[in-house]
Amino acid sequence: MRTYLLPSLKLTIVLIIICSVLYPLLIAGIAKTSTGGGKGETIAVNGKIVGYANIGQKFTADKYFWARPSAVNYNAAGSGGSNKGPSNPDYLKDVQARVDTFLVHNPGIKKEQIPADLVTASGSGLDPDISVQAAKVQVPRVAKIRNRDEKELYELIEKVKMTPLFGFLGPEKVNVLKLNLALNQHN
Amino acid sequence: MNVELTGVIVTFAITLLLAIPFGKYIARVFNNERTWLDFISPVERFIFRICGIDATKEMNWKQHLTALLTINMLWFVYAFIMLLTQGHLFLNPDGNPSMSPDLSFNTAISFLVNCNLQDYSGETGATYLTQLAVLMFLHFVSAATGIAALVVVFNAMREGVSNKLGNFFVIFTKTITRILLPVSIVIAVLLVFNGTPASFDGKDTITTMQGDTIQVSRGPAAGLIAIKHLGTNGGGWFGANSAHPFENPNYFTNSVEIIAQVLLPIALIFALGFYLKRKRFGYVIFAVMTIGMLTFLIPTMISEIKGNPSITRMGIDQSAGSMEGKEVRLGVPASAYWSILTTVISTGSVNSMHDSSMPVSGAMQLLGMMTNAFYGGCGVGILNYYIFIIIAVFISGLMVGRTPEFLGRKIEAREMKIATLIALLHPFIILVGTALSSWTWVNHPNADWAVKPSTWLNNPGYHGFSEMLYQYTSCAANNGSGFEGLADNNIFWNVTTGFVMILGRFLPIIGPLAIAGILAKKKYIPESAGTLRTDTGTFGIMTYAVIMIIAALAFFPALVLGPLAEYFSLGH
């Protein structure tokens, strides 16, 4: 064992320098040329940062398109899911309560129109997106409170929605922050 | 949904297209043949010189083990001290505290053994210094340790090698310089151009559109996320791991990360075929492992796409599948695929929360770790499979009435004893651990600890039991994923899982190395018509059966108490 101790120690020091100093510095350097410079891509309105493109925000007001429920209340200081099991009775009560709340705030919508992503928490608690159906089902409410034409809002969703990569890789989605920003700008 | 399934199939196809040439490349590296990275040879020679390593000195299996264990012990001491004092050290812009002794113990072991169970959350529990210089460092070296151990076994399988099995430090270092580091750089660059942070800035504070003041955790994460997948480590930068939109910003990065984590396990199988000049043997192993993986993937895919029957009964639209704990940008099929691959190989990174998976999926994720040999972790996957091959050779030999031989060497009592012990160790440490925690939970719910056992579980009933079973299975398999509802950052879990992780790592490395070393010294018997061939479909099926019987059936009672009982209680 003693024969190997000194080479092990020296090799450890050399590898810390290579893997933990040079490597991250190289990546940080390359990242400077990317959008956001490796600090995370931000979205600004009139020079003021309103959020990060990839980090979801809490939207609960009726005048905005709502985001998904979050186990960390959309505070990106941390992250995480609810970790509720599918048979947990308290969890199922929570989901039912969210369905009921949604129906109260969206009169005229039938419950089979509510997609599951609107009433379930994401894995990160910071999901920036909702499904296209989840955006569409909120149009009547948002249109009414903002005195806007529903058709115009459906078109807005079509404009903001992201189609799958190469047309077939991944689901269609709508970034809630971008949709609500577009909504405000349109007024 | 069909469109999304296509995405999964395309991802797997790309993995194969990359793995075959990569396997060839790996075989060339360890055969000392010419590769396009030869321009770094002077750097490697320089490293060996300043470290006092004689690259030409060959080692036998015992010397390999001694070197491996010595350097690992050193890393443990280093990691433990760093984590224990991180709050007082530099590169800590968020002012995170030091880890408690039991958490430092658990985390140091966890990353040392390539498990990467995380009883802390990256945003608040580690500093930039420890993330880079301890956790990411261990990502590199633990993966290289597993691969180096495997290469020694490869060497021992060759004809006429006896005691000359290469130099541990050389194999280990070249794994990093020729394989892990170059590929990690490529992956990290792909990640940063898709939005993963890589700068050293601390938390940002912003006011949202609705007027809430929130903080956004960041940091030099991209490099760590690259090696966490390539090295089948799985320990992420952020608490939510690859479900976090910074750690896995879009479907493209998701594909990159899922390909990165299975690339080496699959490439190493092909490398074995090329290295030993027994390509057929490699292909048979690959086929068995793929069938094993599909055995777990298909039921998971079906149950996740169908969604939660209790939510279906509420009458809402669940056509996108079970969305609790999943991300919209990744979708259900890609999340289901990930959850199985990350458990059959030993990565344990997650892009959805396994605690919220359907009961059938949970059972399949558990089985992935209980078998732990379908692809498996960097290097150690094939080592686990090697144990099952030895057992399958022995049983087949008995069935046909021949002396069991494997690659020209007789399998005798000593090798069989080692193989059997290693194969039984896995169920033993998992089931004893789960029994101990269940017993404590039932009999001492209000034990005078900082976290009382009665508050351990996040879910009642069968699912709560699954949370404990999953934790020990994940630790013994050195996987590191979790049913994260379990309150695991306390002395009971930190200490017990710490020991399970050590046993689950080093004994399954020592066992195969010993068997291979003993076999290498035996007389080589040339293949004849009477030899039991190990590169046939029949033998492949035999190995599959041995794995399923030993690994899966041993756990059947525990699976019945957990996920199966939950499945039937849900009503379908």
Side-chain angles (χ1 to χ4, degrees):
Chain A
M1 184 160 277
R2 204 176 297 162
T3 1
Y4 300 126
L5 201 56
L6 203 57
S8 296
L9 187 66
K10 288 180 184 167
L11 188 58
T12 299
I13 294 167
V14 171
L15 288 178
I16 289 174
I17 294 169
I18 295 175
C19 299
S20 299
V21 180
L22 299 180
Y23 168 61
L25 285 177
L26 170 75
I27 302 302
I30 294 172
K32 281 209 161 75
T33 65
S34 70
T35 327
K39 300 175 182 184
E41 191 192 334
T42 49
I43 299 179
V45 175
N46 303 328
K48 190 177 161 287
I49 290 175
V50 292
Y52 281 76
N54 284 326
I55 301 290
Q57 296 189 358
K58 188 163 83 174
F59 285 107
T60 43
D62 280 346
K63 60 174 180 168
Y64 288 125
F65 285 94
W66 293 354
R68 300 180 63 187
S70 161
V72 297
N73 206 18
Y74 281 106
N75 187 354
S79 58
S82 73
N83 290 311
K84 297 291 185 196
S87 61
N88 187 329
D90 291 337
Y91 159 69
L92 293 170
K93 265 181 224 155
D94 284 349
V95 176
Q96 185 63 56
R98 289 174 195 148
V99 173
D100 296 341
T101 310
F102 190 87
L103 290 174
V104 169
H105 285 261
N106 295 269
I109 297 293
K110 290 198 251 351
K111 59 183 178 183
E112 56 266 28
Q113 290 175 277
I114 305 173
D117 58 291
L118 264 187
V119 290
T120 51
S122 63
S124 61
L126 307 171
D127 196 339
D129 307 303
I130 52 176
S131 63
V132 177
Q133 168 64 9
K136 283 183 178 163
V137 74
Q138 303 186 52
V139 163
R141 181 194 79 229
V142 177
K144 192 168 167 224
I145 205 160
R146 290 192 179 234
N147 260 329
R148 299 268 292 270
D149 187 13
E150 286 188 15
K151 204 176 132 228
E152 197 189 320
L153 295 193
Y154 286 120
E155 280 165 10
L156 197 64
I157 293 173
E158 289 302 313
K159 227 167 71 187
V160 174
K161 92 173 179 197
M162 306 265 286
T163 46
L165 187 63
F166 309 127
F168 68 98
L169 287 178
E172 278 191 330
K173 58 182 185 169
V174 181
N175 183 305
V176 188
L177 176 60
K178 287 180 183 167
L179 179 63
N180 284 326
L181 278 172
L183 189 66
N184 273 359
Q185 279 164 6
H186 237 259
N187 263 352
Chain B
M1 195 59 77
N2 285 337
V3 175
E4 288 179 52
L5 281 173
T6 317
V8 170
I9 294 165
V10 167
T11 313
F12 188 70
I14 295 174
T15 312
L16 283 190
L17 288 180
L18 293 172
I20 294 174
F22 195 39
K24 260 185 203 150
Y25 168 77
I26 293 169
R28 292 183 75 88
V29 167
F30 294 116
N31 259 330
N32 294 316
E33 290 171 39
R34 283 179 50 185
T35 62
W36 63 274
L37 264 180
D38 280 345
F39 65 89
I40 54 167
S41 299
V43 179
E44 289 162 348
R45 279 199 298 273
F46 177 70
I47 294 176
F48 297 143
R49 204 174 63 233
I50 56 169
C51 297
I53 294 163
D54 180 0
T56 56
K57 205 173 161 222
E58 303 258 353
M59 298 177 177
N60 64 26
W61 73 269
K62 282 182 191 160
Q63 290 165 321
H64 271 285
L65 254 185
T66 317
L68 184 153
L69 294 176
T70 306
I71 199 165
N72 268 269
M73 203 181 61
L74 216 60
W75 296 331
F76 171 74
V77 175
Y78 162 72
F80 179 73
I81 294 172
M82 289 286 281
L83 295 170
L84 200 61
T85 55
Q86 63 178 11
H88 307 291
L89 302 174
F90 55 99
L91 263 185
N92 184 10
D94 298 340
N96 290 340
S98 297
M99 287 191 184
S100 66
D102 54 307
L103 182 58
S104 303
F105 169 77
N106 186 284
T107 308
I109 290 173
S110 168
F111 280 72
L112 177 75
V113 304
N114 202 282
C115 178
N116 312 102
L117 182 80
Q118 295 171 290
D119 288 357
Y120 65 95
S121 265
E123 294 96 331
T124 51
T127 68
Y128 288 2
L129 178 70
T130 48
Q131 293 257 38
L132 296 176
V134 178
L135 308 179
M136 186 170 79
F137 168 72
L138 290 175
H139 277 346
F140 276 103
V141 295
S142 66
T145 299
I147 295 175
L150 178 69
V151 172
V152 177
V153 171
F154 281 2
N155 283 338
M157 283 193 226
R158 290 176 151 179
E159 194 180 330
V161 282
S162 186
N163 273 336
K164 292 190 178 142
L165 304 179
N167 183 294
F168 175 79
F169 293 114
V170 173
I171 301 172
F172 165 79
T173 307
K174 280 173 91 172
T175 305
I176 292 180
T177 55
R178 300 287 176 116
I179 298 170
L180 297 177
L181 196 55
V183 184
S184 292
I185 292 173
V186 174
I187 298 169
V189 168
L190 290 175
L191 288 175
V192 294
F193 283 103
N194 279 280
T196 301
S199 82
F200 285 77
D201 299 77
K203 267 187 196 127
D204 195 8
T205 305
I206 57 165
T207 306
T208 66
M209 265 182 87
Q210 262 200 178
D212 305 310
T213 302
I214 59 153
Q215 291 185 308
V216 179
S217 289
R218 300 181 292 182
L224 178 139
I225 297 163
I227 182 63
K228 113 180 175 194
H229 285 114
L230 186 67
T232 67
N233 299 279
W237 186 276
F238 300 99
N241 211 290
S242 280
H244 195 291
F246 272 161
E247 194 140 344
N248 190 3
N250 54 43
Y251 197 87
F252 173 74
T253 58
N254 191 65
S255 304
V256 169
E257 291 178 19
I258 190 90
I259 290 171
Q261 61 181 305
V262 270
L263 184 61
L264 264 172
I266 295 184
L268 284 167
I269 307 167
F270 295 129
L272 175 144
F274 297 125
Y275 195 64
L276 301 179
K277 307 218 163 32
R278 291 174 186 271
K279 275 193 247 176
R280 223 183 114 93
F281 185 46
Y283 293 136
V284 169
I285 296 179
F286 171 73
V288 175
M289 290 183 168
T290 303
I291 294 167
M293 184 271 285
L294 290 174
T295 315
F296 303 145
L297 176 64
I298 293 167
T300 304
M301 199 59 101
I302 294 171
S303 69
E304 291 302 314
I305 288 176
K306 257 172 105 178
N308 187 341
S310 301
I311 290 184
T312 308
R313 278 195 288 275
M314 289 176 195
I316 63 165
D317 170 15
Q318 214 183 178
S319 57
S322 163
M323 284 304 292
E324 183 70 38
K326 295 197 181 63
E327 303 286 301
V328 167
R329 67 189 179 283
L330 310 176
V332 166
S335 303
Y337 177 60
W338 181 304
S339 80
I340 290 305
L341 280 192
T342 197
T343 42
V344 294
I345 61 177
S346 77
T347 312
S349 66
V350 295
N351 72 351
S352 67
M353 293 301 132
H354 291 191
D355 214 347
S356 300
S357 298
M358 290 301 105
V360 171
S361 319
M364 295 300 133
Q365 292 154 6
L366 280 163
L367 278 169
M369 298 184 288
M370 286 162 174
T371 51
N372 206 22
F374 296 137
Y375 304 145
C378 259
V380 291
I382 302 183
L383 293 182
N384 291 334
Y385 192 86
Y386 180 79
I387 293 289
F388 290 120
I389 289 182
I390 299 290
I391 296 174
V393 164
F394 186 76
I395 294 175
S396 313
L398 291 182
M399 285 164 77
V400 296
R402 282 198 199 113
T403 317
E405 283 166 22
F406 176 54
L407 301 184
R409 276 110 175 178
K410 274 190 189 141
I411 308 280
E412 290 169 301
R414 194 147 61 126
E415 299 83 80
M416 267 315 289
K417 277 184 202 157
I418 300 172
T420 316
L421 281 176
I422 299 299
L424 293 179
L425 170 85
H426 192 54
F428 181 77
I429 52 180
I430 293 171
L431 295 175
V432 167
T434 311
L436 179 68
S437 64
S438 303
W439 181 83
T440 310
W441 186 79
V442 171
N443 289 302
H444 300 282
N446 294 312
D448 189 20
W449 291 333
V451 178
K452 287 184 179 163
S454 57
T455 61
W456 282 350
L457 308 178
N458 193 40
N459 290 284
Y462 311 119
H463 196 91
F465 174 78
S466 301
E467 286 181 338
M468 295 191 278
L469 176 65
Y470 196 104
Q471 191 76 353
Y472 285 107
T473 310
S474 173
C475 290
N478 287 170
N479 184 278
S481 64
F483 272 13
E484 288 299 334
L486 183 76
D488 50 15
N489 183 13
N490 54 70
I491 197 153
F492 177 89
W493 287 99
N494 280 335
V495 172
T496 58
T497 55
F499 284 109
V500 168
M501 285 189 281
I502 295 183
L503 294 173
R505 167 72 166 185
F506 291 108
L507 295 182
I509 285 182
I510 295 171
L513 261 179
I515 295 175
I518 295 168
L519 289 183
K521 279 196 277 189
K522 289 192 182 180
K523 212 180 120 219
Y524 189 85
I525 313 153
E527 282 183 23
S528 67
T531 309
L532 174 81
R533 294 182 63 97
T534 48
D535 57 357
T536 60
T538 318
F539 185 75
I541 294 167
M542 188 70 198
T543 319
Y544 180 87
V546 164
I547 294 174
M548 282 303 182
I549 290 167
I550 292 183
L553 279 188
F555 294 104
F556 189 68
L559 288 172
V560 168
L561 288 176
L564 289 183
E566 190 187 10
Y567 171 81
F568 289 111
S569 75
L570 265 182
H572 284 264

